[in-house]
Amino acid sequence: MAGRLLGIARHGRPRGPIETVEHLHVSIDGGLDGDFRGAVKPGGKGRRQVSLIRKADWTAATAEIGVEIDWWARRANLLVDGIDLFETEGTIVCIGDDLKLLITQECDPCSRMDEISQGLKTALTPGWRGGALARVIAPGDIRVGDPIEIEIGDT
């Protein structure tokens, strides 16, 4: 099953401004270049290095509450389309030529979502609609438009 990378976003500090980019490097130790969440802390597991959200899930959640909001307001790093990548910890997401991400857990929506628009947290809650978190297991350069493939991991 092949999909496509539709967007890349990063933020350099908690609650900092979101920057969307067309391409960047993703490393095992640092995650997305320029994103504060990617650095693995000493003794840490890096379970939250990269966050992903499916376009269909974001569209459904915002439609449910009757608003149009840019996907990056979710503060996710990667917007993906055309794949079923969530609801299974241990799934491996391959983006572009080299990058491999291991899905570690659901990205539960926080109360900040209701600061963006009332009801958004609830709309993002069912069925991993809020996205997934991942750890980088193979580094790589990614670009908007890159193909995405799914593997099932052995974690």
Side-chain angles (χ1 to χ4, degrees):
M1 175 185 314
R4 193 77 44 209
L5 178 62
L6 298 182
I8 304 169
R10 62 185 178 185
H11 50 297
R13 67 186 194 304
R15 290 195 170 254
I18 299 293
E19 174 188 21
T20 58
V21 297
E22 290 296 311
H23 58 88
L24 53 64
H25 181 72
V26 184
S27 68
I28 289 176
D29 294 331
L32 274 74
D33 184 37
D35 190 77
F36 86 98
R37 282 222 187 265
V40 178
K41 295 174 178 62
K45 297 180 181 178
R47 293 176 53 88
R48 299 181 58 95
Q49 279 188 292
V50 179
S51 56
L52 307 95
I53 190 164
R54 291 186 315 170
K55 179 183 178 187
D57 290 336
W58 181 252
T59 300
T62 56
E64 188 173 300
I65 60 170
V67 297
E68 287 188 30
I69 305 169
D70 290 323
W71 72 272
W72 46 262
R74 171 66 176 110
R75 305 190 73 75
N77 296 124
L78 305 177
L79 178 67
V80 301
D81 192 30
I83 55 171
D84 289 328
L85 69 112
F86 305 145
E87 300 183 35
T88 307
E89 294 174 15
T91 298
I92 296 173
V93 180
C94 306
I95 303 175
D97 293 332
D98 301 310
L99 181 64
K100 289 190 178 192
L101 304 173
L102 176 70
I103 299 296
T104 57
Q105 65 191 59
E106 179 178 5
C107 186
D108 293 321
C110 65
S111 59
R112 180 141 191 220
M113 295 301 100
D114 283 342
E115 292 174 22
I116 295 167
S117 186
Q118 192 60 43
L120 185 56
K121 178 182 177 185
T122 300
L124 287 168
T125 300
W128 288 51
R129 196 188 262 181
L133 299 172
R135 177 170 52 93
V136 181
I137 58 175
D141 295 316
I142 58 172
R143 175 174 298 282
V144 171
D146 275 351
I148 301 174
E149 297 282 335
I150 299 299
E151 298 176 6
I152 301 299
D154 305 339
T155 59

